[in-house]
Amino acid sequence: MNKATTNGAGHPLDPYLRAERMPHIWCSGCGLGLVVNCFLRGLIQSRLALDKVVVVSGIGCAGRAAGYINLDSFHTTHGRAIPFATGLKLSNPELKVVVISGDGDLTAIGGNHLIHAARRNVDITVLCINNFIYGMTGGQVGPTTPLTARTTTSVGGNIDQPFNIPYLAAASGAAYVARWTTAQVIRLQKSITEALLKNGFSLIEIITPCPTYYGRMNKQRTGLEQMKYYRDNSIVKSGIDPKHAGIEFNGPIIVGRFVD
Ligand SMILES: Cc1ncc(C[n+]2csc(CCOP(=O)(O)OP(=O)(O)O)c2C)c(N)n1
Ligand code: SF4
């Protein structure tokens, strides 16, 4: 076990992390560490056999998650995490295959794979980490950028309607669909456990701070400011048709478990 803390007692999640990979690449205030924390706690709660759990990521800041988790894991090419995960699951149905990757990776270059895996109800769990932009490549506008939000390539405000990811997944046939922000860690952990134990295609969208690019461009300069925004503006509406679970720029974020 890695004795990472100063008192030598270690952290309860140390055995589940690859300490030799630290320090991680994520910026101060980034929400990706919270997501890894919630995933590991949700996984422990599921009581799945860890030697049968595999994590797959694509490319991007979120895509680095697989490399920091001390399970069998794969860092795949941009947009191809879901077909890679599908292949793993088909070759060994005993595996619990989890995709942890970014909104750009999963809904832009990988969007076609996402809808068809949901349509086929492939038995994998997808954690789609949505920071509203492409983080790793400099904060460009993406398919989830809210209408009118500023990014490094939409400095006058985004003019395109964003994807509603839960609606997209549900309409494509997903068996379990939820959305949480990193301000609802307990609900998020519980939802991750539920998704892992669900048979069929499960997807959780996790709204996550990227202060370095998205926050800086949209008057939420720190991770803390972004977290306060999530806390003050998230409205839990579990069970509603995700068609009505929109996200308004700097306004309400509808969260909840929409399909189960
Ligand atoms: C085929 C290909 N095209 C483009 C890129 C450049 N690229 C690397 S990461 C990335 C965006 C990742 O965005 P997202 O999935 O939202 O993750 P984030 O970095 O925001 O966590 C892009 C376009 C690439 N690596 N490969
Ligand atoms: S650029 Fe954004 S998403 Fe990437 S590590 Fe930094 S804060 Fe996180």
Side-chain angles (χ1 to χ4, degrees):
M1 181 187 283
N2 164 40
K3 307 281 185 201
T5 56
T6 47
N7 65 8
H11 184 278
L13 295 179
D14 283 348
Y16 306 92
L17 294 169
R18 292 192 178 135
E20 71 279 10
R21 293 276 175 101
M22 303 295 161
H24 57 70
I25 66 154
W26 296 324
C27 309
S28 171
C30 178
L32 287 164
L34 268 170
V35 174
V36 170
N37 191 326
C38 289
F39 167 66
L40 292 175
R41 289 173 192 272
L43 177 64
I44 293 165
Q45 196 65 37
S46 75
R47 298 182 185 276
L48 288 167
L50 298 185
D51 60 351
K52 295 273 191 297
V53 179
V54 182
V55 179
V56 182
S57 292
I59 300 295
C61 299
R64 290 298 184 109
Y68 298 130
I69 295 172
N70 194 15
L71 296 168
D72 287 333
S73 65
F74 296 89
H75 191 195
T76 70
T77 50
H78 193 29
R80 304 301 183 259
I82 286 181
F84 194 99
T86 303
L88 278 172
K89 183 70 191 178
L90 290 179
S91 65
N92 185 353
E94 277 186 18
L95 295 177
K96 174 54 63 176
V97 185
V98 186
V99 172
I100 306 180
S101 211
D103 53 304
D105 188 68
L106 292 167
T107 72
I109 187 171
N112 218 29
H113 300 299
L114 171 70
I115 58 175
H116 291 286
R119 176 176 66 86
R120 296 184 180 118
N121 203 19
V122 180
D123 183 23
I124 60 176
T125 295
V126 178
L127 303 187
C128 178
I129 305 176
N130 182 4
N131 55 17
F132 300 136
I133 40 98
Y134 294 125
M136 182 164 271
T137 43
Q140 296 92 341
V141 70
T144 58
T145 306
L147 211 54
T148 73
R150 293 178 70 238
T151 73
T152 53
T153 53
S154 64
V155 287
N158 174 34
I159 58 169
D160 292 318
Q161 191 69 39
F163 267 143
N164 172 342
I165 294 175
Y167 184 32
L168 181 70
S172 305
Y176 181 99
V177 181
R179 175 196 285 141
W180 302 104
T181 79
T182 46
Q184 292 103 28
V185 284
I186 303 298
R187 285 177 159 120
L188 174 57
Q189 283 168 38
K190 183 168 177 272
S191 192
I192 288 170
T193 307
E194 288 171 353
L196 290 170
L197 296 177
K198 187 84 186 174
N199 282 327
F201 187 88
S202 54
L203 179 141
I204 305 174
E205 178 187 13
I206 309 173
I207 310 287
T208 312
C210 171
T212 304
Y213 288 114
Y214 185 79
R216 183 167 58 85
M217 298 291 289
N218 291 292
K219 300 196 172 108
Q220 297 167 1
R221 292 188 166 273
T222 63
L224 186 59
E225 279 177 67
Q226 290 199 269
M227 290 288 282
K228 282 183 177 157
Y229 159 61
Y230 299 163
R231 186 195 61 190
D232 296 343
N233 290 278
S234 297
I235 304 170
V236 181
K237 286 193 180 176
S238 289
I240 65 162
D241 183 340
K243 181 179 186 177
H244 305 296
I247 299 176
E248 280 173 40
F249 174 57
N250 285 358
I253 302 175
I254 307 299
V255 295
R257 183 179 58 183
F258 305 120
V259 177
D260 189 3

